[in-house]
Amino acid sequence: MTTKFKQDNLIGQSNALLEVLEHVSQVAPLAKPVLIIGERGTGKELIAERLHYLSKRWDQSFIKLNCSSLSENLLESELFGHESGAFTGAKGRHEGRFERADGGTLFLDELANTSGLIQEKLLRVIEYGEFERVGGSKTVQTDVRLICAANEDLPTLAEQGEFRADLLDRLAFDVITLPPLRCRSEDIMPLAEYFAIGMARQLQLELFSGFSKQAIAQLMDYHWPGNIRELKNVIERSVYRNDDIQQPISQIILDPFASPYRPTTRIKTLSRQQTPAAMNETHNEPAAATQPVESKALEFPMDLKQQCEQFEIDLLQKALENFQFNQKKTAEQLGLSYHQLRGILKKYNLLDK
Ligand SMILES: Nc1ncnc2c1ncn2[C@@H]1O[C@H](COP(=O)(O)OP(=O)(O)OP(=O)(O)O)[C@@H](O)[C@H]1O
Ligand SMILES: [Mg+2]
């Protein structure tokens, strides 16, 4: 099997994609770690495969693991394996992905939220090419090319202390950043046709009659937040829902949930009509001073200025009560400086002295 044959499913002619593919070809032959960054659905997994099949390790194993779907313990044992009896239920020795990928490539997907322990162990494997199985003391050597992917901005996470900066340095020998679909609109129609033909084949349709002008305009105008995965879904849905295969597809169903009968659901954010009492009930926390103090039916005519002043006074009194009349704390919680709060209290004659 040639490497090219493996990847004839990578569609796109935009300059942005061609530049990425050029970058991939350059870095693929090196055994160094590569980081692939991109929004969801931009093709990170396809690019990871391409890196492997264009590398000198192409005939060795390509092992993948999604790090976000496992608890810390399971992830540790999936990555590094475990000895028999390492923990309750650990029957027999289990080979981890690092061992299985020996000589080949290990693709770690969605790496951003791994724990400190996992990050520390990863750092050691990268640095020394060795690790211990969970529950074991024997050091295992491994020769693995690491490719990692994330859809978050890892340097920002590192700055915030949520990702080890030293691990990031090691993983990011080179970084491939995938452009979102909205930045490579020339790829939309070739991809749409590719997915449509694939779906027509699956449905055993005799032909695929293309897209109407209006459908093309709709596809080109949309911003594709879910990128190529979303495009694939939309196209496949539109192909199978098309009643007349002799006619080009004119109905693009972007949102399968769209319906006049769609049920409404309680939204998490507090509605402006909720009273503080209701807020306490739902969220089991003190009424936030920034929420409306109370809502009552409006009566006109009213003096807006006076109503606002009254609202401010009520709010200040409730906030002071809430923080046991500690003015420093109250100011802090209202986003004011201590002196600003004192100024407002003075204006309303609310100061004790
Ligand atoms: N250039 C492309 N040509 C053809 N299909 C593509 C291309 N890029 C992505 N796809 C397809 O789009 C889908 C999403 O790609 P992939 O799983 O690689 O994205 P991802 O970036 O890993 O997404 P996530 O962050 O959600 O895991 C897959 O079905 C993949 O085959
Ligand atoms: Mg993925």
Side-chain angles (χ1 to χ4, degrees), residues 10-295:
L10 218 155
I11 309 295
Q13 308 144 359
S14 62
N15 281 340
L17 182 71
L18 295 180
E19 273 169 29
V20 165
L21 297 183
E22 179 62 34
H23 190 174
V24 168
S25 306
Q26 261 184 343
V27 75
L30 308 181
K32 301 271 195 190
V34 177
L35 196 54
I36 306 172
I37 303 283
E39 288 180 14
R40 66 195 157 99
T42 43
K44 294 186 289 295
E45 193 162 332
L46 276 189
I47 293 296
E49 280 173 17
R50 191 177 181 88
L51 278 166
H52 173 70
Y53 290 111
L54 291 180
S55 80
K56 293 177 187 134
R57 300 168 176 245
W58 66 274
D59 57 347
Q60 301 290 315
S61 2
F62 176 67
I63 306 282
K64 316 179 214 184
L65 184 64
N66 186 322
C67 301
S68 73
S69 56
L70 301 171
S71 67
E72 180 186 67
N73 287 346
L74 257 169
L75 180 59
E76 188 187 11
S77 109
E78 272 312 306
L79 284 170
F80 307 104
H82 62 73
E83 297 291 351
S84 120
F87 48 83
T88 324
K91 292 194 193 95
R93 178 201 276 176
H94 171 73
E95 225 182 34
R97 307 284 162 124
F98 269 101
E99 270 172 275
R100 282 170 48 198
D102 193 25
T105 305
L106 177 59
F107 173 46
L108 300 182
D109 203 358
E110 302 200 36
L111 188 75
N113 300 314
T114 44
S115 68
L117 170 95
I118 300 287
Q119 290 182 30
E120 197 182 317
K121 285 190 91 160
L122 282 175
L123 188 65
R124 201 173 139 225
V125 194
I126 298 173
E127 198 84 332
Y128 305 108
E130 59 182 41
F131 62 92
E132 280 98 39
R133 298 188 193 100
V134 177
S137 51
K138 191 172 151 247
T139 301
V140 183
Q141 302 285 331
T142 185
D143 164 30
V144 166
R145 202 257 181 106
L146 258 189
I147 300 177
C148 300
N151 45 27
E152 290 187 57
D153 189 56
L154 291 178
T156 308
L157 290 186
E159 265 168 38
Q160 292 167 348
E162 286 169 42
F163 196 88
R164 284 185 75 129
D166 47 2
L167 177 61
L168 184 59
D169 287 344
R170 305 292 197 294
L171 291 177
F173 167 75
D174 207 354
V175 180
I176 294 174
T177 307
L178 294 186
L181 190 54
R182 63 183 169 281
C183 298
R184 41 171 160 146
S185 50
E186 306 97 291
D187 292 344
I188 295 176
M189 287 321 295
L191 280 162
E193 267 155 34
Y194 170 76
F195 293 136
I197 290 167
M199 188 62 182
R201 215 173 269 148
Q202 253 186 63
L203 296 172
Q204 298 180 326
L205 305 180
E206 280 156 33
L207 75 154
F208 161 63
S209 314
F211 296 97
S212 74
K213 259 193 184 160
Q214 192 204 343
I216 295 175
Q218 208 182 338
L219 292 171
M220 294 300 291
D221 280 350
Y222 186 57
H223 59 289
W224 301 109
N227 293 294
I228 301 163
R229 179 175 298 109
E230 184 183 13
L231 175 69
K232 184 168 188 265
N233 273 333
V234 166
I235 297 298
E236 291 183 348
R237 185 184 307 125
S238 305
V239 170
Y240 102 86
R241 290 246 213 130
N242 189 27
D243 297 329
D244 185 353
I245 60 163
Q246 307 292 333
Q247 293 298 320
I249 293 174
S250 57
Q251 276 261 343
I252 299 290
I253 304 135
L254 288 172
D255 181 4
F257 290 99
S259 160
Y261 311 113
R262 185 172 177 176
T264 48
T265 248
R266 203 165 61 100
I267 300 171
K268 265 198 179 154
T269 47
L270 297 171
S271 90
R272 292 215 144 247
Q273 275 72 39
Q274 269 184 302
T275 60
M279 284 186 245
N280 288 346
E281 241 172 59
T282 337
H283 294 272
N284 201 20
E285 59 192 27
T290 47
Q291 297 298 332
V293 172
E294 72 189 20
S295 76

Side-chain angles (χ1 to χ4, degrees), residues 3-11 50 194:
T3 54
K4 288 213 171 60
F5 174 72
K6 243 340 247 183
Q7 281 270 318
D8 60 359
N9 56 354
L10 218 155
I11 309 295
R50 191 177 181 88
Y194 170 76

